[in-house]
Amino acid sequence: DVPDAGAPSLLSLRGAAEASLGVLPGGIGANNVDFFTTLTPIINFSVGDLFSLELGPSFRLRLADFDSDNRASDVGGVLRGADWDEASDFGQIVQLLSAGREGGILFARLRPQRKKTMGLGHLLWNYSSQANLDYHPTGGELVLNAGPVKGEFFASDVLGARIFAAEVGWDIGGTFTDDANLRDRFVLALSFAHDANRAGLPFRPDKTVAPFYPETATLFHLDTSAVIYRSAELRWMAMAGLGVRANDRSDLGMVIGTSLDASVQEVGFSARTELRKSAGGFRYGYFGPQYELQRFSDVGLQDVGINQVTLPDSGSAFLELKAGIGQKLTFSAAAEYYFWQRLDLDGGIQFSLLSDWLFLNARVSVVGILQQPRTLVTGGLRWRILRSFYVMAEAGTAFTPQPDGSLLGRFHASAGAGIDFER
């Protein structure tokens, strides 16, 4: 049969080239910034929604060195050495590799992780693997749906021994009845997460200095959830769970909470509140937005790492709000207040304007308010001026781990332009 010539092709090819000028933190222990130009070639090949591959490494070339020790550690005296000093950094070459359909029987994807949540997020919540300026891993996700059982598997770094997590969820209602009203209403889920902490180490220009290895961490959590009310526009759910840190203290955590999700056409809103009990080395949302910094310093710049911190046997209150208008506007904000006087915040907003020709985004994450606060801020814009030409800019705070495991806080900023095509 001759295919319909007017039918859209499933195959697509996109190419782009981006160039920018910017400032990044200087060398080890330096409080200055150096100037760079960044070149990013991008190529993307897709087959409908079944397969997609995008390659897009960023090459930061040093233009001005205000610390004479930096060029000695650069590749060829030009390419920023901290971006390519371990195997994990080569993960940045693959920006996306996906196979299968989301929600299908089997779905797999590789990509840098910027806001990863597993299940209800009691272990892995809004995790970003890109918070460390010198570490550029690509993470892997595998989802398997087998009737009433769903398995999700995650690796934060496919080229290094870092976070490995898994969750198996059992739809109890869908197991014992064919009643559609009972499917996905009563779920039991067991999750696990382990950080081997053998990749993403501090950059060492002098290889005679011994590497700094953060402590390992292993956590388990059991979740139960029940949808109390469900309609086309509204869903009300209650949840409870138990968690434990696998160590010599067997630190125990407990949680009880509720969530409400509402949607009317393209407008969506959700709210979630929880009362949590944490103790010792166990806390909720352990692998969170700033975990790649917290594993070196839990709060501030020179604290002990999160894997060594011992929390009081106490509680906390957690609140999360989300809202959105289709893909045009998304907003999220979350706060956790520990009753022993600590507050953590995380929030973000994204706009898509002018028929998707202008994108703006910003994210703020703060840990240790009322103690030694550390604020991670990122923001950027991309404005398509012509069909195949766009300008872009980004800026934010930057924290780089030092050879002794402490953090050095500075900032980064860049602006540039790109050209692209699609077939």
Side-chain angles (χ1 to χ4, degrees):
D1 295 335
V2 178
D4 182 1
S9 173
L10 293 176
L11 306 179
S12 67
L13 177 67
R14 177 179 176 266
E18 298 178 353
S20 64
L21 294 174
V23 293
L24 290 171
I28 299 298
N31 286 314
N32 55 33
V33 293
D34 290 345
F35 287 88
F36 291 82
T37 182
T38 302
L39 305 178
T40 307
I42 301 170
I43 188 74
N44 179 287
F45 173 73
S46 299
V47 182
D49 58 356
L50 291 176
F51 176 84
S52 185
L53 171 64
E54 180 174 308
L55 307 178
S58 293
F59 301 99
R60 294 185 176 118
L61 308 179
R62 195 182 303 274
L63 297 179
D65 182 10
F66 293 103
D67 186 334
S68 59
D69 294 335
N70 285 332
R71 287 202 184 275
S73 64
D74 288 344
V75 180
V78 178
L79 183 65
R80 188 172 184 265
D83 292 334
W84 302 94
D85 65 310
E86 56 181 330
S88 299
D89 289 326
F90 288 83
Q92 65 180 299
I93 296 174
V94 179
Q95 291 295 305
L96 176 65
L97 174 59
S98 66
R101 289 189 176 94
E102 288 194 71
I105 296 176
L106 184 65
F107 175 71
R109 178 168 57 195
L110 300 181
R111 63 177 178 178
Q113 303 296 320
R114 291 183 172 83
K115 206 171 182 180
K116 172 65 179 178
T117 294
M118 178 174 286
L120 295 176
H122 288 145
L123 293 185
L124 197 73
W125 175 77
N126 280 359
Y127 166 77
S128 171
S129 65
Q130 308 299 302
N132 178 352
L133 189 66
D134 297 337
Y135 181 46
H136 313 284
T138 284
E141 306 165 75
L142 177 66
V143 179
L144 175 64
N145 291 295
V149 177
K150 176 182 178 181
E152 183 176 2
F153 308 91
F154 171 76
S156 68
D157 185 346
V158 296
L159 298 179
R162 282 300 316 282
I163 302 173
F164 301 97
E167 179 173 285
V168 177
W170 176 31
D171 177 11
I172 300 174
T175 302
F176 299 105
T177 179
D178 293 331
D179 187 351
N181 189 50
L182 294 179
R183 290 178 186 169
D184 298 320
R185 295 198 68 160
F186 307 98
V187 176
L188 185 67
L190 177 64
S191 54
F192 154 86
H194 170 75
D195 189 355
N197 264 321
R198 287 299 179 268
L201 305 180
F203 177 54
R204 293 176 298 132
D206 182 0
K207 298 304 180 182
T208 63
V209 176
F212 176 88
Y213 289 103
E215 296 290 329
T216 62
T218 305
L219 294 86
F220 297 87
H221 200 272
L222 180 66
D223 276 307
T224 60
S225 60
V227 176
I228 301 172
Y229 176 81
R230 180 171 62 185
S231 68
E233 297 81 19
L234 189 67
R235 188 184 72 154
W236 178 28
M237 183 175 71
M239 66 197 80
L242 293 172
V244 66
R245 169 87 175 267
N247 54 26
D248 54 1
R249 297 189 302 270
S250 296
D251 301 321
L252 182 67
M254 294 182 287
V255 62
I256 185 171
T258 185
S259 67
L260 185 69
D261 301 285
S263 62
V264 179
Q265 296 181 350
E266 289 191 349
V267 179
F269 170 82
S270 70
R272 174 175 161 191
T273 182
E274 295 180 352
L275 287 176
R276 299 169 166 181
K277 183 262 183 188
S278 53
F282 181 90
R283 71 179 75 175
Y284 281 90
Y286 191 95
F287 302 98
Q290 288 201 42
Y291 179 76
E292 288 302 323
L293 302 177
Q294 288 180 283
R295 66 194 187 101
F296 297 106
S297 179
D298 184 34
V299 296
L301 302 178
Q302 296 182 336
D303 192 24
V304 297
I306 184 175
N307 299 338
Q308 297 174 274
V309 171
T310 300
L311 300 184
D313 190 350
S314 182
S316 64
F318 174 80
L319 175 64
E320 183 177 34
L321 301 174
K322 296 180 180 180
I325 303 176
Q327 300 298 317
K328 304 298 182 183
L329 168 66
T330 59
F331 166 81
S332 66
E336 183 170 13
Y337 175 72
Y338 295 86
F339 298 148
W340 39 272
Q341 294 189 343
R342 168 173 168 165
L343 178 64
D344 292 350
L345 302 175
D346 183 67
I349 189 168
Q350 179 175 303
F351 289 96
S352 175
L353 305 172
L354 303 177
S355 300
D356 296 337
W357 277 42
L358 177 62
F359 294 88
L360 302 100
N361 67 83
R363 186 175 181 186
V364 179
S365 177
V366 191
V367 295
I369 300 177
L370 308 179
Q371 296 180 321
Q372 303 174 57
R374 183 178 63 241
T375 303
L376 184 65
V377 180
T378 58
L381 68 85
R382 183 180 295 259
W383 182 16
R384 185 173 293 279
I385 298 176
L386 302 173
R387 184 168 298 278
S388 296
F389 177 78
Y390 54 91
V391 295
M392 56 194 182
E394 64 176 10
T397 54
F399 297 92
T400 52
Q402 304 298 289
D404 62 357
S406 63
L407 295 175
L408 188 62
R410 287 161 288 186
F411 71 94
H412 69 92
S414 67
I419 57 173
D420 62 357
F421 71 89
E422 186 169 2
R423 295 290 184 269

